[in-house]
Amino acid sequence: MIEILQDIDGEATQKEIENIFRQYRTYMLTTPDDLMPSITAKYTLEMPSFSNVKQSAVEGAAIECVDKEKEHERFFAWFNRGLCRLTAIERRIIALAFLETEPMYNYEIYTELRMSKSKYYRLRNRALYKLAMGLGVEVYQKVEVVQ
C-alpha cells in the first residue's frame, strides 16, 4: 500500500476528489421541480403533425426527470460504495468537511471531534486517499521513460 501511495499525484488526486464532492453537493441540492414544464396556453400557426411520434413539453420534462433521477441514483450508489470503505471517524470527517451544505472549517471539525490538529490532518488525508482509491479516481504520477 505504501508503494502505491508514493506513485499517486496528491495534488491532482485532491482536485479530482474535490470535483466529486462538488458534484455530490450539487446533486443533493437539485430538485426535480426545476425540470417541470410551464403549463401555459400556446397558440401557433404551425400545421399539426400526423406522425406516430408525439411528444409534448410535459412528456419531454417527464423523460428528462427520469433520466436525471437515474443519473443521481447511479452517482450516489457509486459514491456510497467508496464511502463505505472508510472507518466511522473518517466518514465523519469527510461528511463534516466536504459533504454538508455548508462544510465546516478544519479547526471547527478537530475541535468538535476533540482531537489534535496533527491527528485530524493525518486522518483527513488518509480518508481522502482511501476514498479516491475506493472510487477509482486517484491520479498517478507520470513516469518518463528515458531511452
Side-chain angles (χ1 to χ4, degrees):
M1 176 101 174
I2 303 265
E3 295 170 3
I4 293 172
L5 290 178
Q6 290 174 347
D7 294 338
I8 291 179
D9 183 348
E11 195 171 308
T13 300
Q14 178 85 16
K15 286 180 184 177
E16 284 296 319
I17 204 76
E18 285 175 359
N19 287 336
I20 291 170
F21 290 145
R22 205 170 296 115
Q23 186 176 9
Y24 177 91
R25 285 192 302 271
T26 301
Y27 281 164
M28 290 300 288
L29 296 173
T30 305
T31 59
D33 295 340
D34 297 340
L35 303 173
M36 294 305 292
S38 59
I39 302 174
T40 57
K42 180 179 175 186
Y43 301 100
T44 180
L45 296 175
E46 295 175 15
M47 293 297 292
S49 172
F50 296 107
S51 69
N52 289 338
V53 178
K54 296 179 181 175
Q55 187 171 357
S56 67
V58 174
E59 289 170 336
I63 290 169
E64 192 173 334
C65 276
V66 169
D67 290 344
K68 287 282 187 190
E69 192 66 32
K70 286 187 184 226
E71 181 183 330
H72 289 202
E73 286 175 11
R74 273 193 305 265
F75 175 82
F76 286 125
W78 170 72
F79 185 82
N80 287 335
R81 275 194 305 274
L83 198 61
C84 286
R85 294 180 181 192
L86 304 179
T87 64
I89 190 69
E90 290 170 340
R91 280 195 304 270
R92 180 87 193 261
I93 289 171
I94 294 295
L96 292 173
F98 300 104
L99 303 181
E100 297 291 329
T101 310
E102 285 191 34
M104 295 172 68
Y105 292 106
N106 289 322
Y107 72 89
E108 293 174 320
I109 298 169
Y110 65 73
T111 302
E112 181 176 311
L113 297 177
R114 295 187 177 115
M115 64 175 60
S116 70
K117 184 177 179 178
S118 60
K119 182 178 180 180
Y120 166 76
Y121 280 106
R122 189 175 57 251
L123 285 173
R124 180 181 175 271
N125 290 336
R126 185 175 70 192
L128 288 173
Y129 278 121
K130 282 173 66 176
L131 184 60
M133 292 178 78
L135 296 175
V137 296
E138 72 274 13
V139 179
Y140 292 96
Q141 297 173 352
K142 292 184 172 62
V143 179
E144 294 183 23
V145 178
V146 180
Q147 296 181 4

